[in-house]
Structures are given as C-alpha cells and as structure tokens.
Amino acid sequence: MDTDAFRRLWNELEPIGRTEAGGYLRFSWTESDLRLRLWFQAQARLRGLRCEEDRNGNLYAWWDAEKEQVVDPDRPRPLDQLTARKPRREGAVLTGSHFDSVPHGGAYDGPLGIVSAFLAVDRLRAEDAQPKRPIGIAAFTEEEGGRFGVPCLGSRLMTGVIDSDRARALTDPDGVTLAQAMRDAGADPATLGPDPERLERLAAFIELHIEQGRALDGSESPVAVATAIWPHGRWRVTFTGEADHAGTTRLPDRRDPMLTFAFAVLAARKEARLAGGVATVGRVEVEPNATNAIASTVTAWLDARAPDEAVLGEILSGFESKVTERAGRDGTGVAIAPESETPIVEFDASLRDRIAALLGGAPVLPTAAGHDAGVLSAHVPTAMLFVRNPTGVSHAPGESASDEDCAAGVEALAAVLRELAC
Ligand code: GLV
Ligand code: MN
Ligand code: MN
C-alpha cells in the first residue's frame, strides 16, 4: 500500500496528547483520550462503519458482513438458540489495539494497531472484498495502566479477569477513582463488568503492534508474528520508617526506608539477572519528600517479567527474602502487594502458523510486553503482528517505525483479514 496514505492518517493522530518534549500523555478518560475517541468515531463514520462502545468503555467500528451472514451484536442470544433457529452464524474477526500511552511514552505503541486497522479495511474495500464475517476495529481502554495502575483494564474487565468493584475503586496518582474519571468524561461506570456474549461473537482477534525490541532489525521481513507473551506482573512495595531531621538524627538512630528502597532496586535487578528474567523499578513516591527530612514512607512499583512462570516466581521470592532481611537490618517495614499478575500466553499455534505462512514465512517471536491480545487469547483464537522497530526503543519518545514498514504492516493485516473474514 501507498506509504502516503499511511502518513496522511498518521499525521491526524500525531499531535493529540503530544508534549513539547515529544512524548505522549494519552491517559484514559482524559481530554486527549476523549479527542482520540472522537477521531475513532469520525473515522468509522467516514467509512460507514457502525460504531459502538461496550460496557467497559472499549470502542468498536464494525464492517458488517453481507446481511444474511450478520450476527447482530446489539441483540445477543445464546448460541444454542441461534443454532436451533438457523444455521450457525460466522463469528466476527476483530482487530485493533489501544490509544492510551505510558506517561511520556511513544506514538506507536497502541495507535499503530488502530490506524493500520482502518487502512487495512480501506485496502480490502479498494479491491472490493466482501467479508463473510463481520470485521471489527477495536480501541481498548487503559491498556498501559498508565493512569489507574492495572494494565489491559478494558480487556480484563471484558473477560472478567478483574472484578468490576475493584476496577471502579482504582485510583490515579491524584486520588481520582476510575468511576469518577468515567463519570467526569460522560461515561457510566455502573456498566463495567464481564461481557461473555461479546466474546462469544468473536471468531478471532488480531492485534498489530509495533515491535518493542530490536528483534526485526536486520531482518528481511518488516513484519513478524507473535508466539508468546512472557508472564509478568506489577507489585506495589511499601517501605515504612520514621521521618526525622536530616541533620540532627544520629545515623544509628535512624529508621530510613530510603535505604531499604535503594537496596530493593538493586536486589530486583540482581535477582532478575541471576534467574534469567527482567525486573524494573520505574516509579516511586516518597513521603514527605523533603530534602532535609528522613523519609517516612517510600512506595515503589516493581515490574517483573520472565520467559516462564518458574523463573518469575524465583525472581519474586529472591526479591522478597533479600528485601525483608534488609528491612530487618534497617529497622524499617516492607510490604509487597500484587497489583496485576499475568500468566504466560501461548498464542494459538495453528492461527500463528497459518498467518506466518500467509505472510511468506514471516519470522515468529515471543515478546516480554503485555497486550490486550494476551488477555483475549484465553477466550478467542488470537494472533499478533509486530512491525519492525529499528531502534528497539519503546515506552519512550524515541519509539519509531518507518512509514514503509508501517505500510507493510497494513498490507500484512489486510492479508490476514482477507484470509480469515472474506
Ligand atoms: C505494556 O505495554 C507493558 O508491557 O507493560
Ligand atoms: Mn505498551
Ligand atoms: Mn501496546
């Protein structure tokens, strides 16, 4: 496909939520998110696609199949009833990704999958393709957990992986609950919850995403197919001590949680290195956060990931025992609480192999990044396409892909939709 068509559509989105430093603030239910939602609705309208928002704030643009093939998504009926009345209808093929970003993140993580989905539909229509199944474009909400802490919130709610009361009570760094943020944005948090009928209507979910490492740098192919997602999780680690004067408190009298925290950052890295995974502390809050006072509390968030669950478990138990022992020596307290845990995802092997063959033997690779596709894969045959990232930078302003590779991604996605839905 024409790289100019990609660039034209991409340029429409690029300014939304971009900071002067070049990164993005596209937190869910904020003004930039609402502008992105409006853009999505406008793109759907422009193409005559039926737009809807589900009970969890996820958006869809539907290209319905020819009349006799359509399952009306607004009138869910049990499958047995459907089969009793008429021949079984074909489930929909859903594609898409998310708009939200990590704080000061890059442009491509998420939006590339949505822009590519609209362009893939354009591509199929240009060749007069006739879908036998509905084709949907999805924009999932709060995939990064950048505002409310739990990643893939829209797909977790939809699949019932997170309890809706817990979700409504999640708070952002300013103490605003998800429920309040939704109400402020004109959405109704009372509807949050599992959506099994919607899941039942899906035959497949395909998420196109920028690759988040350098796995395709130097590869012949600009597009790869995912095999698996590493198990991963986020843990809130609270270190408690005693605030006191930074000048007058004798060193032996201090109970300084900052010392235990500093040790914990290094311990996370060491345990991950020894076990063969990764662990990161990228967010920290300090009370009272004064230059001339010993901290009373340090709250840090540990992000840990590994190729399998045994290795992830090893990292966590090593971290916990080392940090607890250190807290004992520092006279501080430490509490570790999981905020989200995601088991290993192995994508549907036959779908993966079918797509890799369709794309001329595209490389297949695992990723250590989380995705809505991973959450949906427990319910729907799911696959992911990765578009080459020449620097490997992600979750940062330097995240990039060439227009040529993005156009190749659109071609690949169109080929997959043609294969699965037309
Ligand atoms: C989301 O992109 C994550 O991997 O944290
Ligand atoms: Mn991401
Ligand atoms: Mn993403």
Side-chain angles (χ1 to χ4, degrees):
M1 84 156 253
D2 166 20
T3 55
D4 292 345
F6 171 78
R7 181 44 54 187
R8 273 195 302 278
L9 202 55
W10 192 249
N11 282 347
E12 290 186 19
L13 272 192
E14 260 200 326
I16 303 176
R18 188 171 52 196
T19 67
E20 275 181 21
Y24 283 85
L25 298 175
R26 286 172 167 170
F27 299 122
S28 59
W29 306 112
T30 60
E31 192 200 326
S32 56
D33 184 41
L34 299 184
R35 288 177 61 203
L36 291 159
R37 287 167 175 271
L38 287 175
W39 178 87
F40 184 96
Q41 286 159 357
Q43 292 303 314
R45 259 197 313 277
L46 214 58
R47 291 167 174 80
L49 303 175
R50 184 170 50 80
C51 203
E52 62 170 347
E53 186 171 321
D54 71 12
R55 56 185 299 176
N56 295 305
N58 305 310
L59 282 178
Y60 305 86
W62 287 105
W63 179 8
D64 290 320
E66 296 162 47
K67 272 281 169 282
E68 68 273 17
Q69 302 280 352
V70 173
V71 176
D72 180 357
D74 299 327
R75 291 179 53 229
R77 280 173 290 159
L79 276 179
D80 53 342
Q81 221 176 311
L82 265 182
T83 41
R85 280 188 198 165
K86 294 175 195 157
R88 179 82 170 270
R89 302 296 177 156
E90 301 285 9
V93 176
L94 189 65
T95 184
S97 192
H98 61 95
F99 280 129
D100 64 306
S101 66
V102 298
H104 303 279
Y108 290 78
D109 179 353
L112 182 63
I114 299 173
V115 167
S116 301
F118 280 114
L119 292 170
V121 164
D122 293 348
R123 178 80 175 83
L124 293 178
R125 285 181 161 181
E127 66 194 45
D128 209 20
Q130 304 289 329
K132 295 189 184 67
R133 302 167 177 276
I135 294 178
I137 300 172
F140 286 101
T141 190
E142 183 79 3
E143 190 272 351
E144 298 288 5
R147 182 168 181 193
F148 294 102
V150 175
C152 300
L153 194 53
S155 55
R156 277 182 207 269
L157 278 160
M158 181 187 195
T159 52
V161 172
I162 185 169
D163 174 69
S164 51
D165 284 336
R166 182 183 162 216
R168 275 186 282 269
L170 290 170
T171 50
D172 73 5
D174 296 325
V176 178
T177 62
L178 171 65
Q180 189 57 47
M182 288 183 73
R183 276 193 292 271
D184 291 348
D188 181 6
T191 63
L192 295 179
D195 205 346
E197 292 87 2
R198 184 171 293 277
L199 285 167
E200 259 175 30
R201 292 195 298 265
L202 300 181
F205 177 58
I206 313 294
E207 181 169 359
L208 177 145
H209 204 278
I210 186 163
E211 211 272 305
Q212 292 172 283
R214 294 185 60 183
L216 293 177
D217 186 30
S219 155
E220 301 259 293
S221 173
V223 177
V225 184
T227 53
I229 298 179
W230 282 18
H232 56 281
R234 299 178 182 188
W235 291 263
R236 178 194 288 251
V237 190
T238 310
F239 305 90
T240 45
E242 192 173 21
D244 212 330
H245 196 291
T248 59
T249 316
R250 292 182 333 130
L251 292 179
D253 294 342
R254 297 179 180 212
R255 294 200 301 117
D256 186 349
M258 195 66 89
L259 293 185
T260 323
F261 161 70
F263 174 87
V265 174
L266 298 175
R269 167 72 177 238
K270 184 170 177 184
E271 294 302 313
R273 177 171 55 77
L274 294 177
V278 291
T280 310
V281 179
R283 178 181 168 200
V284 61
E285 288 171 7
V286 180
E287 294 290 334
N289 210 18
T291 306
N292 54 352
I294 296 162
S296 58
T297 308
V298 178
T299 308
W301 281 263
L302 172 72
D303 177 309
R305 311 182 188 216
D308 64 49
E309 279 155 19
V311 171
L312 185 58
E314 221 178 290
I315 295 170
L316 284 169
S317 60
F319 175 79
E320 184 165 9
S321 70
K322 299 277 178 352
V323 172
T324 306
E325 191 270 331
R326 174 71 200 213
R329 282 195 277 136
D330 291 337
T332 55
V334 60
I336 303 175
E339 289 203 333
S340 65
E341 289 173 292
T342 307
I344 190 164
V345 172
E346 309 267 10
F347 287 111
D348 186 292
S350 66
L351 186 59
R352 174 201 70 206
D353 292 345
R354 188 171 161 197
I355 291 174
L358 177 75
L359 302 180
V364 295
L365 45 101
T367 179
H371 301 283
D372 294 304
V375 177
L376 288 191
S377 72
H379 304 264
V380 179
T382 297
M384 289 194 75
L385 301 180
F386 291 134
V387 173
R388 176 163 47 203
N389 176 342
T391 62
V393 172
S394 189
H395 284 185
E399 183 177 83
S400 73
S402 71
D403 286 2
E404 290 72 24
D405 285 357
C406 292
V410 173
E411 281 295 342
L413 182 60
V416 173
L417 297 178
R418 190 184 299 116
E419 166 84 1
L420 299 179
C422 296

Coordinates of all heavy atoms in Angstrom, one line a residue, residues 98 102 109 143-145 151-152 209 212 229 232 234 303 305 367-371 394-395, ligand 1:
H98 N -4.9 -0.2 21.2 CA -5.3 0.8 22.2 C -4.7 2.2 21.9 O -3.7 2.3 21.2 CB -4.8 0.4 23.6 CG -3.3 0.3 23.7 ND1 -2.5 1.3 24.2 CD2 -2.4 -0.7 23.3 CE1 -1.2 0.9 24.1 NE2 -1.2 -0.3 23.6
V102 N 1.9 5.1 28.0 CA 2.6 5.2 29.3 C 2.9 6.7 29.5 O 2.9 7.4 28.5 CB 3.9 4.4 29.4 CG1 3.6 2.9 29.3 CG2 4.9 4.8 28.4
D109 N 3.1 2.7 20.1 CA 2.6 1.6 21.0 C 1.1 1.8 21.2 O 0.6 2.6 22.0 CB 3.3 1.6 22.3 CG 2.9 0.5 23.3 OD1 1.9 -0.1 23.0 OD2 3.5 0.4 24.3
E143 N -4.9 0.3 28.3 CA -4.1 -0.9 28.1 C -2.8 -0.8 29.0 O -2.3 -1.8 29.5 CB -3.8 -1.1 26.6 CG -3.1 -2.4 26.3 CD -1.6 -2.4 26.5 OE1 -1.0 -1.4 26.6 OE2 -1.0 -3.5 26.4
E144 N -2.3 0.4 29.0 CA -1.0 0.5 29.7 C -1.1 0.6 31.2 O -0.1 0.4 31.9 CB -0.3 1.8 29.3 CG 0.1 1.9 27.8 CD 1.2 1.0 27.4 OE1 1.7 0.2 28.2 OE2 1.6 1.0 26.2
G145 N -2.3 0.8 31.7 CA -2.4 1.0 33.2 C -1.7 2.3 33.6 O -1.3 2.4 34.8
P151 N -2.8 -2.9 34.0 CA -2.8 -2.9 32.6 C -3.9 -3.7 31.9 O -4.5 -4.5 32.6 CB -1.4 -3.5 32.2 CG -1.1 -4.4 33.4 CD -1.7 -3.7 34.6
C152 N -4.2 -3.4 30.7 CA -5.2 -4.1 29.9 C -6.6 -4.1 30.7 O -7.3 -5.1 30.7 CB -4.8 -5.6 29.7 SG -3.3 -5.7 28.7
H209 N 0.9 -4.5 16.2 CA 1.6 -3.7 17.3 C 3.1 -3.4 16.8 O 3.7 -4.2 16.1 CB 1.7 -4.5 18.6 CG 1.8 -3.6 19.8 ND1 3.0 -3.1 20.2 CD2 0.9 -3.1 20.6 CE1 2.8 -2.4 21.3 NE2 1.5 -2.4 21.6
Q212 N 8.7 -4.2 20.1 CA 9.2 -3.4 21.2 C 10.6 -3.7 21.6 O 11.1 -3.3 22.7 CB 8.2 -3.4 22.4 CG 6.9 -2.7 22.0 CD 5.8 -2.9 23.0 OE1 5.2 -3.9 23.1 NE2 5.6 -1.9 23.8
I229 N 3.7 -14.4 25.0 CA 4.0 -13.3 25.9 C 4.5 -13.8 27.2 O 3.9 -14.7 27.8 CB 2.7 -12.4 26.2 CG1 2.1 -11.8 24.8 CG2 3.0 -11.3 27.1 CD1 0.9 -11.0 25.0
H232 N 4.1 -11.9 33.5 CA 4.7 -10.7 34.1 C 3.7 -10.1 35.1 O 2.6 -10.6 35.2 CB 4.9 -9.6 33.0 CG 3.7 -9.3 32.1 ND1 3.3 -10.1 31.1 CD2 2.8 -8.3 32.2 CE1 2.2 -9.6 30.5 NE2 1.9 -8.4 31.2
R234 N 3.0 -6.6 38.2 CA 3.3 -5.4 38.9 C 3.0 -5.5 40.4 O 2.0 -6.0 40.8 CB 2.5 -4.2 38.4 CG 2.7 -4.0 36.9 CD 1.8 -2.8 36.4 NE 2.0 -2.7 35.0 CZ 1.4 -1.7 34.3 NH1 0.7 -0.7 34.9 NH2 1.6 -1.6 33.0
D303 N 8.1 -4.0 38.5 CA 7.6 -4.7 37.3 C 8.6 -5.8 37.0 O 9.8 -5.6 36.8 CB 7.6 -3.6 36.1 CG 7.2 -4.2 34.8 OD1 7.7 -5.3 34.4 OD2 6.3 -3.6 34.1
R305 N 9.3 -9.6 34.8 CA 8.8 -10.5 33.7 C 9.9 -11.6 33.5 O 11.1 -11.4 33.8 CB 8.7 -9.6 32.4 CG 7.9 -8.3 32.7 CD 7.7 -7.5 31.5 NE 7.1 -6.2 31.8 CZ 6.2 -5.5 31.1 NH1 5.9 -6.0 30.0 NH2 5.7 -4.4 31.5
T367 N 7.4 -12.1 23.0 CA 7.6 -10.7 23.5 C 7.5 -10.7 25.0 O 6.8 -11.5 25.6 CB 6.6 -9.7 22.9 OG1 6.9 -8.4 23.4 CG2 5.1 -10.1 23.2
A368 N 8.2 -9.8 25.6 CA 8.1 -9.5 27.1 C 7.1 -8.4 27.4 O 7.1 -8.0 28.5 CB 9.5 -9.3 27.6
A369 N 6.4 -7.9 26.4 CA 5.5 -6.8 26.6 C 4.1 -7.4 26.7 O 3.7 -8.3 26.0 CB 5.6 -5.8 25.5
G370 N 3.3 -6.7 27.5 CA 1.9 -7.2 27.7 C 1.0 -6.5 26.7 O 1.3 -5.5 26.1
H371 N -0.2 -7.2 26.4 CA -1.1 -6.7 25.3 C -2.5 -7.2 25.6 O -2.7 -8.3 26.2 CB -0.7 -7.3 23.9 CG 0.7 -6.9 23.5 ND1 0.9 -5.6 23.1 CD2 1.8 -7.5 23.5 CE1 2.2 -5.5 22.8 NE2 2.8 -6.7 23.0
S394 N 11.0 1.7 23.1 CA 9.6 1.7 23.3 C 9.2 2.2 24.7 O 10.1 2.3 25.5 CB 9.0 0.2 23.1 OG 7.6 0.3 23.1
H395 N 8.0 2.6 24.9 CA 7.5 3.3 26.1 C 8.4 4.6 26.3 O 8.6 5.0 27.5 CB 7.6 2.4 27.3 CG 6.5 1.4 27.3 ND1 6.3 0.5 28.4 CD2 5.5 1.1 26.5 CE1 5.2 -0.3 28.1 NE2 4.7 0.1 27.0
Ligands
GLV1 C1 2.6 -2.8 28.2 O1 3.0 -2.4 27.1 C2 3.6 -3.5 29.0 O2 4.2 -4.4 28.5 O3 3.7 -3.1 30.2

